[in-house]
Amino acid sequence: MTAKIKLLQIGQFPEDAQNLIKAQFNCILPAQLDQNPQLRTDIRGIVTRSNYRIPEDTVRSLPNLGIIATCGVGYDGIPVKLAHARDVVVTNTPDVLNSAVAELTVGLILALLRRLPAAHHYVHANRWPEGPFPLGESLAGKHVGIVGYGRIGKSIAERLSVFGAHLAYHGRRRQPVDMAYQPDLTALARDSDILVLAAPGGQATTHMINAQVLSALGAAGYLVNIARGSLVNETDLVNALSSGAIAGAALDVHAAEPHVNQELLKLDNVILTPHMGSATHQTRMAMAELTLSNLRRFFEGKPVLTPVSS
Ligand code: 8YV
């Protein structure tokens, strides 16, 4: 029986996905590598998750590294240029998670507009006899601006159109789609009731949501972030939420995961979830299987299924 190929595993995987990967590869954890540096020459690949950062020194320290496979669509935590310069293949898992992330986005929007967490606690605290819970807002007829119109942005738009929302998008370039394109982010915020962030993380989008954009979104506006915490200047967001410059926000992603900005915890007009956009059994298994397919094909000398190009 041939020895399993050794991979450096960065990040924890859900149990079912972890078992799938360990059945086919020998997963070495960073702590093991620190204790046994001689293992570095044995490591042929890195398997990771998209919300983990891989230091450039890690890539440089593995002389026989051939592939970095991330279980997730985002690769802003991977030094892709360095990897490619060293002829290391990088793969991600696009498309298989579009529906799950889009579904959560719709859920967060409805939770904000209808104040579902507060309504739940109102009944649980036996406060209903005090009188009816305050009226909420309809999604039908709302103007929703989508920032980042890639695979996930498109999946979100498909679902929101069914709810009768009016849609527009902002991105690096106009796309051949039947939807209003707004090249100016502040203008999109001004014209939106709800601003949904679906753009990739990275230097180009860091803090793209700042005090100016939030002011344009306005006192009746809502911000929803299911992309990356880095897109939002959280200090500006806390100020906007605290002052009423915007009505509310729902954040599934955060600047310093798994730690959340403590100022946000003091506010009652923000919904916070733990980076769970793709966190369904079905989706995470599909992501793990695609990650494994990429790894297997690479080591069999075949083209990987979903290479990262840039
Ligand atoms: C999480 C995501 O990274 O796919 C992404 O880019 O942000 C999410 O799916 C998840 O932890 C992936 O394993």
Side-chain angles (χ1 to χ4, degrees):
M1 179 179 175
T2 55
K4 289 180 185 174
I5 292 173
K6 289 188 174 67
L7 303 178
L8 173 61
Q9 176 176 329
I10 298 180
Q12 292 177 326
F13 286 82
E15 185 180 351
D16 40 6
Q18 181 73 68
N19 294 337
L20 203 62
I21 295 169
K22 289 182 75 169
Q24 301 181 46
F25 292 97
N26 182 352
C27 295
I28 306 294
L29 299 178
Q32 291 176 273
L33 212 49
D34 292 342
Q35 291 165 359
N36 306 287
Q38 71 280 5
L39 279 174
R40 294 189 184 284
T41 54
D42 298 337
I43 300 291
R44 303 276 308 283
I46 293 175
V47 62
T48 186
R49 290 182 58 178
S50 292
N51 43 337
Y52 283 85
R53 185 160 298 283
I54 299 180
E56 290 194 356
D57 287 350
T58 300
V59 174
R60 293 193 181 96
S61 70
L62 304 172
N64 296 312
L65 180 67
I67 181 172
I68 300 174
T70 187
C71 184
V73 65
Y75 47 87
D76 46 305
I78 298 173
V80 173
K81 284 184 180 171
L82 171 65
H84 287 168
R86 297 170 65 94
D87 294 326
V88 174
V89 170
V90 180
T91 66
N92 64 342
T93 60
D95 290 324
V96 294
L97 46 64
N98 296 352
S99 295
V101 178
E103 288 165 1
L104 182 75
T105 307
V106 174
L108 289 174
I109 290 173
L110 293 172
L112 277 171
L113 295 178
R114 304 300 293 273
R115 297 185 60 218
L116 293 183
H120 167 79
H121 291 303
Y122 187 76
V123 175
H124 260 259
N126 280 317
R127 293 193 52 200
W128 193 0
E130 296 173 17
F133 188 73
L135 297 180
E137 293 285 328
S138 296
L139 174 52
K142 284 283 188 296
H143 291 267
V144 181
I146 299 176
V147 180
Y149 201 63
R151 301 174 174 100
I152 290 177
K154 289 182 175 70
S155 293
I156 293 169
E158 285 166 9
R159 286 157 180 77
L160 291 178
S161 61
V162 172
F163 282 86
H166 304 294
L167 303 170
Y169 74 99
H170 166 78
R172 286 175 296 186
R173 63 185 72 85
R174 184 188 297 272
Q175 297 185 39
V177 294
D178 180 21
M179 187 179 298
Y181 172 61
Q182 175 50 266
D184 181 314
L185 174 58
T186 303
L188 181 72
R190 184 195 61 220
D191 300 339
S192 298
D193 302 307
I194 303 163
L195 199 61
V196 175
L197 308 186
Q203 195 171 2
T205 58
T206 297
H207 287 189
M208 71 190 306
I209 304 302
N210 56 26
Q212 176 186 310
V213 173
L214 293 167
S215 173
L217 183 56
Y222 294 93
L223 179 75
V224 177
N225 190 4
I226 47 83
R228 283 289 185 271
S230 59
L231 274 61
V232 177
N233 179 320
E234 286 188 349
T235 301
D236 289 356
L237 178 60
V238 168
N239 292 338
L241 289 164
S242 306
S243 65
I246 66 170
L251 309 174
D252 185 46
V253 287
H254 310 269
E257 294 173 13
H259 307 289
V260 175
N261 185 315
Q262 294 301 292
E263 293 306 308
L264 289 170
L265 300 179
K266 301 172 184 173
L267 303 173
D268 63 3
N269 55 348
V270 61
I271 295 174
L272 303 170
T273 50
H275 198 154
M276 56 191 285
S278 63
T280 68
H281 291 287
Q282 299 81 2
T283 301
R284 286 292 169 82
M285 187 50 76
M287 292 162 69
E289 287 167 350
L290 179 49
T291 302
L292 274 173
S293 296
N294 280 319
L295 287 164
R296 268 202 315 270
R297 290 176 65 89
F298 173 80
F299 291 116
E300 291 167 357
K302 299 173 185 169
V304 295
L305 297 176
T306 50
V308 166
S309 55
S310 57

